[in-house]
Amino acid sequence: MCGIIAYTGTRSCTDLLYQGLRKLEYRGYDSAGLSVLSGGRIEVIRAVGNMDSLEKELEGNGHSDARLGLGHTRWATHGRPSTENAHPHSDCTGNVSIVLNGIIENYVNLRSELAANGHEFTSETDAEVVAHLIENHYNGDLLEAVRLTYADIEGHFAFCAIHSGHPELIAGARKECPLLIGVGKDEAFIASAIPAFLSETRDVIVIGDEELFVATPAGVTIMDLEKNELEREVTQVNWDVDAAEKAGFETFMRKEIYEQPDSLTDTIAGRLPDGGGVVLDEMAISDEVLAGIDKIYIVACGTSYHAGMVGRYVLENWSGVAVELDVASEFRYRDPVLSPSTLVVGISQSGETADTLAAMRQARKLGSKVLAITNIMGSQATRDADGVIYTRAGLEIGVAATKSHVAQIAAIHLLALYLAQARGAMSAGEIDGIASELKAVPELLQTYLRHEATTHEIAKRYYQQPFFLYLGRGVGLPVCLEGALKLKEISYIPTEAYAAGEMKHGPIALLDEGSPVVVVATDGHVYDKVISNIEEVRARSAAVIAVATEGNEGIKAYSDDVMFVPATSELLSPLLSVVPLQLLAYHIAQLKGCNVDQPRNLAKTVTVE
Ligand code: AGP
């Protein structure tokens, strides 16, 4: 977690660093800070809270002469959010300043050794040891001190360091956590993610895993751990700068909910050609191998896990391969039974989630083929996989995943069709029939979004309720799990999501008069069963809020409120039925006055286990 940025160049950099941190705030926002070289000294400005707090701290404190500096936005792992624990961290002399993303696993030992040698620590963080180690190793060569420090530390991290004796130099390293360089004219930016410098340059160099770098206004050098220079291509990113702004919406989350039709269109584009069949350019796992697999194992976390759960129903039905599913944090510490004929699918919007990456690596070690479904080009997940399916949802800023989720589901639909094609599990005609239906979904979703007001009205009736139960069957179950996660993470209202048939085995005891129960009751082979479960809920005088298929007027007799979604086939329906649940959560959170883009305690990218 955490976002880091560094700058070296010819421009005054305090504001550049600050603006970059604003774009990285989604990675953590419990404290933030900057360090700049000004008047020959390193000046550190830090604040607890989000970037607004740092902005206040910077007022009248801009150090306009600074041309070298670091910035950090924090999501606490070691040490509570406080000014002392905020980055950048310094050594004992104040000559060294560092920012770090990740975790130093052996920091306790390092800290006591350094303390025994007279180093004084000012924070409770693991990261501070890096500044003191650099101080220890520094002998006039910052890169060498960084290299030796890298050798001392264990864990997963990316860090940047500056020294007051080197007014143009940034040195740093990365191991597993992301770090990219934005190259400009006589300047360089180093950051955890591209949006941090996208308004300044589109020329990007990726620092590889277990590599060192140095940057000055004259250029950038990437090295292996022995300081051998490595060739690195500069790639041009074509992202839209405005994508990082709210484009007229009051929050990123609502903007991103409205971007879902585009997110779907882009994810499908070119992959279901008019001539028939499924094309996945980055699959890189041969049809022969895919034809031989006997099990699919899906690993993911949070919302991505829920997309994976939709995948279980779709993949089994269309490709005929048995599917298992686990949250990555459990999978990695079990003894999963995998073989070379297992296909492991890691789903991760960010492509940086520590648990998902660890699960994917473990699967590879056990000889399985690994496929990544991710939204971020060049992310670590793409490097830990044999093949990739990119979702093309674009930049997602809201901590609550929305447009990336529907894109993940669509990517799974594509994978299932691709497998069905490779394995001969469906005829060309059947595949093309589903492809046409899938291509029609973005337009249906666009139509649905015009009816947002209905969901807003329903939210007004229920937002003061202390608890919500979600019930669904079949593909309606992962939709419920996702709807319940959305509500709890942005409104802080406790929720439960259950397989509707399981309700009578326990959760029914939670129901009282008027308790809101959200039921996904879209058309499908389990619809009648869901209606029976609704009857059980109503017999306890609870209030039913149903998600149903347009045209099903009969559902009104069983529900207090209905959110209708357009009709599509059952296995495609989660692409539509999850959207009213996103909007319901959104409006409830807004009515409660919550910050939906930055829910408490959360961060967008979870790079710690
Ligand atoms: C959901 O709204 C959250 N953002 C969270 O559950 C997220 O899906 C999870 O942390 C996994 O992230 P990833 O897709 O980037 O791996």
Side-chain angles (χ1 to χ4, degrees):
M1 220 83 71
C2 304
I4 64 183
I5 181 164
Y7 175 84
T8 178
T10 51
R11 291 193 277 166
S12 176
C13 68
T14 311
D15 194 54
L16 288 171
L17 293 168
Y18 167 78
Q19 295 301 341
L21 286 182
R22 276 272 177 208
K23 298 285 184 325
L24 292 177
E25 214 178 351
Y26 67 93
R27 299 179 71 91
Y29 40 81
D30 57 41
S31 56
L34 297 177
S35 62
V36 290
L37 187 66
S38 170
R41 287 164 43 86
I42 291 181
E43 303 286 348
V44 181
I45 304 122
R46 301 182 289 186
V48 182
N50 63 15
M51 288 299 296
D52 294 344
S53 315
L54 183 64
E55 186 180 1
K56 281 198 199 104
E57 211 53 47
L58 285 169
E59 273 166 23
N61 210 0
H63 300 289
S64 58
D65 63 321
R67 304 286 182 270
L68 177 78
L70 308 174
H72 187 276
T73 179
R74 181 168 186 248
W75 185 82
T77 57
H78 293 65
R80 77 213 136 81
S82 69
T83 312
E84 298 73 38
N85 290 337
H87 296 220
H89 289 293
S90 309
D91 66 336
C92 299
T93 64
N95 289 326
V96 176
S97 184
I98 68 103
V99 285
L100 179 138
N101 168 30
I103 288 183
I104 310 295
E105 285 168 1
N106 57 338
Y107 86 101
V108 175
N109 289 344
L110 291 170
R111 191 176 164 119
S112 49
E113 280 167 25
L114 287 160
N117 288 326
H119 286 264
E120 283 180 20
F121 285 82
T122 56
S123 78
E124 305 156 322
T125 65
D126 53 339
E128 193 185 345
V129 295
V130 171
H132 292 274
L133 287 167
I134 291 175
E135 177 188 4
N136 242 11
H137 291 304
Y138 182 74
N139 201 1
D141 182 345
L142 182 59
L143 172 64
E144 180 60 6
V146 162
R147 190 180 82 87
L148 294 171
T149 298
Y150 182 99
D152 289 337
I153 57 181
E154 290 164 15
H156 53 280
F157 48 79
F159 68 89
C160 295
I162 57 174
H163 190 289
S164 57
H166 302 272
E168 295 191 320
L169 183 72
I170 304 165
R174 79 162 273 231
K175 186 179 176 197
E176 294 176 29
C177 292
L179 205 55
L180 303 122
I181 301 184
V183 187
K185 189 174 170 332
D186 301 326
E187 63 185 7
F189 297 80
I190 297 94
S192 305
I194 292 169
F197 52 70
L198 190 60
S199 57
E200 308 302 323
T201 179
R202 292 171 174 281
D203 291 340
V204 176
I205 297 175
V206 178
I207 302 171
D209 202 21
E210 305 194 5
E211 288 178 2
L212 307 169
F213 76 90
V214 282
T216 68
V220 170
T221 311
I222 313 279
M223 286 152 280
D224 66 16
L225 299 177
E226 305 309 320
K227 293 202 285 191
N228 298 307
E229 284 189 29
L230 302 168
E231 288 283 314
R232 244 341 103 75
E233 253 177 55
V234 178
T235 44
Q236 278 250 320
V237 288
N238 57 4
W239 293 3
D240 183 357
V241 180
D242 290 343
E245 306 300 335
K246 289 183 192 147
F249 287 89
E250 67 273 31
T251 60
F252 282 113
M253 183 177 172
R254 186 156 172 270
K255 171 175 173 271
E256 287 158 5
I257 288 173
Y258 271 77
E259 286 172 344
Q260 292 184 111
D262 287 345
S263 163
L264 279 180
T265 305
D266 292 346
T267 298
I268 298 164
R271 288 163 164 178
L272 298 171
D274 289 342
V278 193
V279 178
L280 293 175
D281 285 336
E282 296 97 1
M283 168 56 80
I285 303 174
S286 70
D287 281 6
E288 239 184 329
V289 169
L290 293 176
I293 60 166
D294 57 18
K295 184 164 78 175
I296 297 171
Y297 221 124
I298 300 176
V299 289
C301 303
T303 290
S304 299
Y305 172 77
H306 298 152
M309 196 185 282
V310 174
R312 175 157 66 192
Y313 296 90
V314 177
L315 285 158
E316 287 189 340
N317 195 305
W318 292 353
S319 72
V321 185
V323 179
E324 289 198 47
L325 175 80
D326 208 350
V327 286
S329 55
E330 286 300 312
F331 178 94
R332 62 184 291 195
Y333 293 112
R334 292 199 289 112
D335 295 312
V337 180
L338 304 179
S339 76
S341 53
T342 310
L343 175 69
V344 173
V345 182
I347 308 175
S348 174
Q349 185 284 133
S350 61
E352 303 289 347
T353 298
D355 286 321
T356 307
L357 294 179
M360 290 165 66
R361 285 181 198 136
Q362 188 183 348
R364 248 182 157 185
K365 241 190 238 162
L366 292 169
S368 299
K369 288 283 175 210
V370 174
L371 177 74
I373 295 181
T374 183
N375 198 34
I376 305 294
M377 219 161 263
S379 60
Q380 191 60 41
T382 65
R383 281 172 252 142
D384 288 336
D386 300 290
V388 182
I389 302 178
Y390 284 108
T391 51
R392 300 174 185 146
L395 189 62
E396 189 176 67
I397 301 278
V399 168
T402 52
K403 64 174 180 169
S404 65
H405 179 62
V406 295
Q408 287 170 340
I409 297 174
I412 286 164
H413 285 126
L414 292 171
L415 171 63
L417 291 177
Y418 192 86
L419 281 172
Q421 178 179 270
R423 300 167 67 83
M426 284 168 104
S427 70
E430 283 171 314
I431 291 175
D432 292 346
I434 295 172
S436 319
E437 262 199 281
L438 189 52
K439 287 182 193 170
V441 174
E443 185 58 38
L444 298 176
L445 185 45
Q446 194 79 60
T447 319
Y448 167 74
L449 287 168
R450 291 189 203 117
H451 303 293
E452 182 188 359
T454 311
T455 308
H456 191 191
E457 287 308 311
I458 295 172
K460 281 189 202 161
R461 286 198 276 284
Y462 295 97
Y463 78 98
Q464 284 165 321
Q465 291 287 337
F467 168 75
F468 282 68
L469 179 65
Y470 287 70
L471 298 174
R473 281 176 180 258
V475 284
L477 174 58
V479 171
C480 284
L481 286 161
E482 177 58 11
L485 174 65
K486 287 285 92 86
L487 185 61
K488 68 169 74 112
E489 73 178 324
I490 61 172
S491 75
Y492 319 135
I493 297 174
T495 63
E496 272 274 27
Y498 249 80
E502 274 288 293
M503 177 184 58
K504 54 188 170 294
H505 300 290
I508 198 163
L510 294 165
L511 299 183
D512 212 340
E513 187 163 353
S515 305
V517 181
V518 181
V519 187
V520 174
T522 43
D523 290 358
H525 74 294
V526 286
Y527 176 76
D528 290 341
K529 303 282 171 202
V530 173
I531 291 296
S532 303
N533 298 130
I534 290 181
E535 295 279 28
E536 291 159 7
V537 166
R538 286 167 62 79
R540 274 79 194 173
S541 305
V544 173
I545 306 165
V547 177
T549 307
E550 249 166 34
N552 176 10
E553 292 301 311
I555 190 74
K556 290 181 179 167
Y558 297 96
S559 340
D560 296 81
D561 290 285
V562 189
M563 297 179 284
F564 284 111
V565 291
T568 186
S569 66
E570 186 174 352
L571 291 174
L572 299 183
S573 66
L575 294 168
L576 292 160
S577 54
V578 76
V579 183
L581 301 191
Q582 295 168 344
L583 282 168
L584 183 66
Y586 177 81
H587 286 296
I588 289 175
Q590 286 287 83
L591 287 162
K592 287 176 72 76
C594 300
N595 179 347
V596 300
D597 284 336
Q598 293 182 340
R600 69 187 182 200
N601 304 336
L602 289 172
K604 180 79 180 158
T605 306
V606 186
T607 55
V608 293
E609 68 167 295

